[in-house]
Amino acid sequence: MTQIRPLFKREFLGYFRSPVAYVFLISFLVISVSLAFSRYGNFFKSGTASLETYFLFFPWLFMFIVPAVGMRLWSEEKRAGTVELLFTLPITTLEAVLGKFLAGWAFLTLGILLSFPMALTVAYLGDPDWGVMAATYFGAILMAGAYLGVCALTSALTKNQVISFVLSLAACAVLVFLGLSSFTTTLESILPVGLADVVSNFSFVTHFDAFTKGIVDPKDVIFFLSLIGFTLFLNVVALER
Amino acid sequence: MIAVQGLVKIYGTQRAVDGISFTVQRGEILGFLGPNGAGKSTTMKMITGFIRPDAGTATVGGIDVTADPVGVKRQLGYLPESAPAYPEMTVEEFLGFIAEVRGFRETVEKRARIEHVLTLTHLASVRAQTIETLSKGYKQRVGFAQALIHNPPALVLDEPTDGLDPNQKNEVRTLIKSMASEKAVILSTHILEEVDAICTRVIIIARGRIVADETPAALRARQPGARLDEIFRTLTADNASA
C-alpha cells in the first residue's frame, strides 16, 4: 500500500502540469458563485448568514464538473499507452485505482475548499452557524468522492475521453434525478411505495440535503462511502478484465 | 533467469501465441524475430505480466508471473513498444516517479539512480524538457532509462531501436551489449542485421509458433551463402503454407 504515494503524487501534480487544473478550478468557482448570486440562488434575498444557497447547486454542478475531472483518469492512460507502463511497474491494480482516485478526490476537495471566500463573506455579513457550514463542506467533499468513483469507473471502460465523459454524465444524472420529488412521484405511481423509496434512496440529492442542514447522519456518510467502495471495486474488476 | 513454458494467448478464434517455450540465461541476449502480428509483443506482454496467458507459464528468477505478478515486475525492466511515457512530465520528473514506484524513496538514492540512467542513456541535456517536446530518439531513450533505473536482472525490450537513426541504433546496441554480461535480455526486432550485431541467440516466430531457436551462426548455416532475410523469408513462409 506504500505504492499509493508515488501514484497519488504523480496524478495530483499531473493536474497542475497542464492547464486542466486552472481551467477547472476557475470555472468551478466562477460558476458555483454566480449560481449562488443568481436569481435562482438568491444569496442575498434569502437574508440568512449561511451558504445554503451556495451549496444548493452542488449536486447539479458536480454532475458536469466531476466527469470533467474523472474522465481522464484511465482513458488517457489507455489512449497514450502508458497503462502498459503503469501495470508493468511493481504495483497492484488496487493500488493504482486507489492512488488515482485519491488524487482526483484531493483535487476536487481543493476546489471545494477554495470557496472559502464565500464563507468569509457570510461571516463578515452576519453570524453564520459554523457547525452547519462544516457539515456542509464535509458532505460536499463526500459527495464529490461518490461522483468521482462513478466517473473513474466509466473512465476505466473506454479509451475515449468523450465517451467517458458522456457515460459519467449519464450515470451521475441518474443518481441525481432519482431523488427529485417529481421523479419519485412518478415512480411511486408505477412501483410500490416501499420500492420507490428504496430507489430514491440512491440519489445524491437525498443524502446531501441533510448535510446542508447541519445534520451528519451516519446513514448518509455510509451511503457515500459505500458507493465509493463499490465503484472502486468495479473499477478494479474493469481493469483486470 | 527467464523461462517460458507452453505460453498460449487466444484472441477470438485466433491463436496469437500458440505454445511458445524457451529459456534465457543471464548473459544471453535473445533476439525475438518474426513478421508483424506473429505474436512477439503478445509474448513479451505475457512475460511482463501485462496480459494474462490463456495457458502456460512464464517465470522470471523462479517467480511465476501468474502467481506473483508484482514479484516478477520488480525484477524486470520493460520497454514497451513505442516507449510510452507521460507527455506532460519532464524527463527528470518522469524518472523520479518511476524511481519512487521502484522503491527508491530517499532523496539521495533517488537522485543517484536518476543521474546514473541519465548518463547511461545520454539524456542529461534534455533532463528539464517535457517528454512531449522530445524527438522520437530521445523518447525511446527515456523509455530505456525507465527500464534500467532499478538495475534489473532481466530486461524485456520491445523493438528498442525502432524509429532511431543509424547512429542512435548503434548507440542503443552498444548499451545493450555493455549490460548483457550480468543480465538476461530479450529484445524483439524487425531488423535482421541487429541479430548479427548483438544477439547471442535467435528465436524466429511465425503465426504464434517458434520456427527457429538457435545461434545466429547456426541460422546462417541453414542456407550457406544466403542472406539473413532470405533465410527469414523461407522460415516464416514455410510456416504460412503448413
Side-chain angles (χ1 to χ4, degrees), chain A residues 65-82:
Chain A
I65 217 124
V66 179
V69 171
M71 67 180 185
R72 61 189 285 280
L73 282 179
W74 294 107
S75 305
E76 200 166 273
E77 298 258 2
K78 285 188 172 182
R79 172 167 298 247
T82 44

Side-chain angles (χ1 to χ4, degrees), chain B residues 28-83:
Chain B
E28 267 191 306
I29 303 180
L30 175 70
F32 222 44
L33 257 77
N36 279 329
K40 300 189 295 283
S41 289
T42 310
T43 307
M44 292 185 148
K45 282 177 187 166
M46 286 191 280
I47 297 171
T48 55
F50 181 61
I51 55 177
R52 228 177 307 227
D54 290 319
T57 56
T59 60
V60 179
I63 303 173
D64 189 333
V65 69
T66 43
D68 181 10
V70 173
V72 165
K73 287 166 189 177
R74 249 183 230 123
Q75 301 200 53
L76 273 179
Y78 176 43
L79 171 67
E81 199 176 348
S82 72

Side-chain angles (χ1 to χ4, degrees), chain B residues 84-185:
Chain B
Y86 297 104
E88 72 284 355
M89 293 177 111
T90 68
V91 173
E92 253 181 327
E93 283 168 346
F94 177 68
L95 293 176
F97 163 65
I98 301 288
E100 283 175 29
V101 178
R102 291 283 184 192
F104 307 112
R105 303 278 162 79
E106 273 182 70
T107 324
V108 181
E109 200 186 10
K110 188 175 125 188
R111 276 254 62 86
R113 289 280 166 178
I114 295 171
E115 291 307 321
H116 179 65
V117 290
L118 283 177
T119 329
L120 212 58
T121 53
H122 304 288
L123 279 168
S125 59
V126 295
R127 61 198 301 158
Q129 276 189 43
T130 56
I131 291 169
E132 61 196 342
T133 64
L134 297 179
S135 69
K136 174 119 201 201
Y138 274 113
K139 272 185 195 157
Q140 194 76 12
R141 279 190 251 173
V142 172
F144 227 107
Q146 162 275 122
L148 295 176
I149 204 155
H150 54 303
N151 193 23
L155 270 179
V156 177
L157 311 168
D158 201 350
E159 303 196 1
T161 56
D162 184 43
L164 303 184
D165 69 34
N167 296 338
Q168 294 167 331
K169 275 187 185 147
N170 195 44
E171 221 171 86
V172 167
R173 285 176 198 159
T174 317
L175 181 63
I176 296 173
K177 246 181 170 168
S178 70
M179 294 179 310
S181 58
E182 78 262 26
K183 291 188 200 307
V185 182

